[in-house]
Amino acid sequence: MKNTSISYSNLEEYSDILAQNAKKASKNLRTLSGEKRSAVLNLVAKLLRERKPEIMAANKLDLEAAAGKLDDAKMDRLTLNDARIEAMAKGAEEIAAFTDPLNRVLESRELKNGIKISRVAVPIGSVFFIFESRPNVTIDGACLCFKAGNAVILRGGKESLNSAKCLAGIFHKALAENGIDEDAVQLVTETSHDLVGMLLQRSDCIDLVIPRGGERLIRAVVEQSKIPVIKHFNGICHVYVDKSADMDKAVNILINAKTQRTGVCNAMECVIIDRHIDDANVKKLLDCLADRGVELFGNKDAQSHDSRIKDIGDDSNYHHEYLALKASVKFVDNVAEACEHIEQNSSRHTEAVVAEDASVQDYFVANVDSSSVMVNASTRFADGGEYGLGAEVGISTDKLHARGPMGVESLCTYKWVLRGNGQVRA
């Protein structure tokens, strides 16, 4: 793999090589045809399937090294299997099949002076993508950035380094076989945090930073970076069950949102229950979680409804992401109070309402300020693949440029093009 053989004497030199390579590659990608970019991604998918044993062997090294050091949620994120490798391959094919996001005319008109003005989609340029122990993100991030015409520097967690090297090598082979500069996708192979700090200063070569991981990582990146950052903070996701809810729907949604996969950012962390729901149905809602091993936590009011609910402390502790078989429970008088609780405690990721009353649904949608809002559906649908984006580089909880699952179009910007016939400004 090309960039693992870079010769350098210190971290400063390595960071400079990575940054300069990214800048150069991004310039070359601006004019690369959509057909060629799609050809690379289709070959990536083919190679992922052909090299599955090699990928699994590399991942086994990571899993063996991490055994006993990571919790269950992190080990799950680190693990690659047949299904996840196939998902990477399908994701690459789906992204390849997307309409070319570049050179799209987003709007156009003619000015009074006869100049024709248009706003055209273009690549951002070069992206520094930092993620933790999910090796599949190596492929997802590379595919999305490349489809959008961006060069990318990938820096994954040290726990996934063997897997990431193998996957990046597959991408490099696809680039090389299509005659494209392999520096379009670079993998950082040094695990030093100092190197990350150096790259975060390189606003001369890097146009955007996307950190994907825990809140501690993202806050550290934001504090150090001289480059614009799109943030993906933690996923404190809520499900509000209204008195008008179909209780069978509510049970299925709660089970899926909390227990299908606990260590992900779109898993439910708090269930909000309308206190006008009768005791039998409240028990039904809490049983569906407790019977599946979910520990329940809440304030004194919540504990008065069910003895299984453990003390959460004061209400400030509702701002918590468990990433485990644990959930907070809050009782409210109505949808307005539910929305107020979400306003105070949400990370602006994903919230859901379970209600048959259309006025409750509409109030919730209008008043919840999160990147995704679900009506009678699980929070687990907040995902680039589920949204038809092929994959995602993260779920942005920012409000500027990109929000929610970030697919190909979120990795583009635009420029204004004006075509005149000799006009000059008076």
Side-chain angles (χ1 to χ4, degrees), residues 206-387:
I206 301 171
D207 299 294
L208 180 68
V209 179
I210 303 175
R212 177 173 174 174
E215 185 173 1
R216 182 178 175 185
L217 165 69
I218 296 166
R219 293 203 181 279
V221 168
V222 172
E223 289 169 5
Q224 295 179 64
S225 183
K226 289 185 178 179
I227 306 164
V229 180
I230 292 181
K231 298 178 289 297
H232 169 170
F233 278 129
N234 50 10
I236 304 174
C237 303
H238 299 75
V239 176
Y240 167 57
V241 183
D242 184 69
K243 64 183 179 182
S244 70
D246 178 314
M247 291 301 153
D248 290 334
K249 288 181 187 176
V251 165
N252 288 333
I253 288 169
L254 291 179
I255 291 170
N256 183 262
K258 180 69 257 184
T259 70
Q260 190 217 24
R261 198 172 174 196
T262 58
V264 290
C265 60
N266 57 15
M268 181 192 77
E269 300 294 11
C270 180
V271 55
I272 306 172
I273 300 174
D274 188 330
R275 69 174 74 255
H276 296 99
I277 296 173
D278 63 77
D279 290 345
N281 276 317
V282 168
K283 184 176 185 302
K284 184 177 181 180
L285 295 174
L286 297 178
D287 281 352
C288 79
L289 296 173
D291 290 350
R292 286 161 177 81
V294 179
E295 289 184 81
L296 303 174
F297 298 84
N299 57 13
K300 297 299 182 186
D301 176 52
Q303 291 176 73
S304 71
H305 287 81
D306 196 296
S307 61
R308 293 170 294 187
I309 299 175
K310 301 175 183 178
D311 187 16
I312 202 172
D314 62 44
D315 278 6
S316 66
N317 288 324
Y318 274 100
H319 188 78
H320 191 80
E321 184 181 34
Y322 295 106
L323 298 175
L325 282 172
K326 298 178 180 181
S328 303
V329 181
K330 175 74 174 178
F331 283 81
V332 297
D333 286 329
N334 48 46
V335 64
E337 192 174 327
C339 289
E340 184 58 32
H341 179 81
I342 291 170
E343 182 75 19
Q344 296 300 318
N345 296 281
S346 170
S347 59
R348 305 293 186 259
H349 191 297
T350 302
E351 327 300 340
V353 58
V354 187
E356 297 301 306
D357 186 331
S359 66
V360 170
Q361 297 174 3
D362 292 345
Y363 186 95
F364 191 88
V365 170
N367 285 275
V368 167
D369 184 25
S370 293
S371 67
S372 291
V373 180
M374 311 293 183
V375 177
N376 290 329
S378 171
T379 59
R380 288 283 289 118
F381 284 108
D383 173 85
E386 294 292 336
Y387 285 13

Side-chain angles (χ1 to χ4, degrees), residues 6 31 39 56 74-75 147 222 267 325 336 363 365 374 377 385 423:
I6 291 174
T31 55
M56 297 285 277
K74 290 180 179 177
M75 286 296 286
K147 177 71 175 184
V222 172
L325 282 172
Y363 186 95
V365 170
M374 311 293 183
Q423 291 92 333

Side-chain angles (χ1 to χ4, degrees), residues 184-221:
V185 175
Q186 297 183 91
L187 177 71
V188 176
T189 55
E190 287 280 359
T191 59
S192 169
H193 292 296
D194 291 340
L195 177 63
V196 173
M198 293 171 191
L199 288 168
L200 291 173
Q201 307 304 304
R202 295 304 301 267
S203 57
D204 59 322
C205 294
I206 301 171
D207 299 294
L208 180 68
V209 179
I210 303 175
R212 177 173 174 174
E215 185 173 1
R216 182 178 175 185
L217 165 69
I218 296 166
R219 293 203 181 279
V221 168

